[in-house]
Amino acid sequence: MKKRDDIKTHTHIDENGHEYTHTHEDYDHVHAHDNNAHEGHDHAHTHHSHSHTHDPKEMKKIINRISKSIGHMESIKRMLENGEDCADVLVQIAAVKSEINNAGKALLKEHLDHCIVEAVAQNDTESVDKMNKAIDYFMK
C-alpha cells in the first residue's frame, strides 16, 4: 500500500506558457499530459531526493501579495465597467504590474534560498536548469 507521501502532484509550465498538472506515485515515471495540447507527448522525469520546502511565513506573505493584487485587479475591472478615466485605469494597471513583479521577486528569492541551494548541494542540475528557464520567462 502506498503512503500518502509517495503520491506526488505537481504542475508543469511548458515553453509556450501552457500549464498542466498531474499526479504520480513513483519517482521515475513516464506520463502523458492531461492537457489536450500535449496529447501523445510523453517524456520521462527523473526526480531527485531533495525536498521542495519553503519558509511558511514567507510563502504566506507571497500569497497575501497575490491576494492583494487580485483585489486590485477586481477594482480596476470595476473602474472600467463604470467608465472611469482611462488614464486613471492605466495608473492602477501599472501599480498591479509592479505588485505582481514584486511577488515574483519574493518567490524567486524564496525558491533560491531553499530549493535551489539544496539542489546545488545535491548536484541536481535538472532543478537548476528548470529554475534558469523559469527566470527567463519571469524576466520577459
Side-chain angles (χ1 to χ4, degrees):
M1 179 174 183
K2 293 275 184 192
K3 295 184 302 184
R4 181 169 214 131
D5 292 343
D6 292 340
I7 299 172
K8 306 292 180 194
T9 300
H10 59 266
T11 301
H12 296 272
I13 300 176
D14 68 13
E15 61 274 0
N16 297 315
H18 298 111
E19 185 175 306
Y20 47 95
T21 302
H22 70 126
T23 303
H24 56 90
E25 295 181 335
D26 58 3
Y27 286 105
D28 295 317
H29 67 281
V30 176
H31 65 275
H33 302 291
D34 297 329
N35 183 319
N36 289 339
H38 300 285
E39 202 166 279
H41 172 83
D42 295 336
H43 64 272
H45 285 277
T46 302
H47 293 276
H48 299 274
S49 62
H50 75 268
S51 61
H52 192 91
T53 57
H54 295 281
D55 180 340
K57 289 179 184 177
E58 289 302 314
M59 292 307 293
K60 182 65 176 167
K61 288 179 187 178
I62 295 167
I63 291 166
N64 288 341
R65 284 177 178 226
I66 296 296
S67 295
K68 179 183 173 192
S69 296
I70 291 168
H72 202 160
M73 288 296 296
E74 289 170 349
S75 173
I76 292 169
K77 180 181 172 195
R78 283 190 300 275
M79 288 175 75
L80 290 168
E81 291 169 343
N82 294 332
E84 294 191 30
D85 187 298
C86 291
D88 294 338
V89 173
L90 289 170
V91 168
Q92 295 306 310
I93 289 172
V96 170
K97 286 171 57 176
S98 178
E99 291 170 4
I100 295 295
N101 195 38
N102 287 334
K105 288 177 191 176
L107 182 59
L108 175 60
K109 183 181 182 318
E110 177 65 22
H111 191 61
L112 289 171
D113 286 348
H114 295 279
C115 300
I116 298 303
V117 167
E118 188 174 339
V120 168
Q122 295 180 7
N123 199 28
D124 178 0
T125 57
E126 180 183 344
S127 291
V128 174
D129 289 344
K130 183 177 177 182
M131 187 63 194
N132 284 331
K133 288 178 185 174
I135 290 170
D136 287 343
Y137 287 121
F138 181 68
M139 299 302 290
K140 283 186 180 181

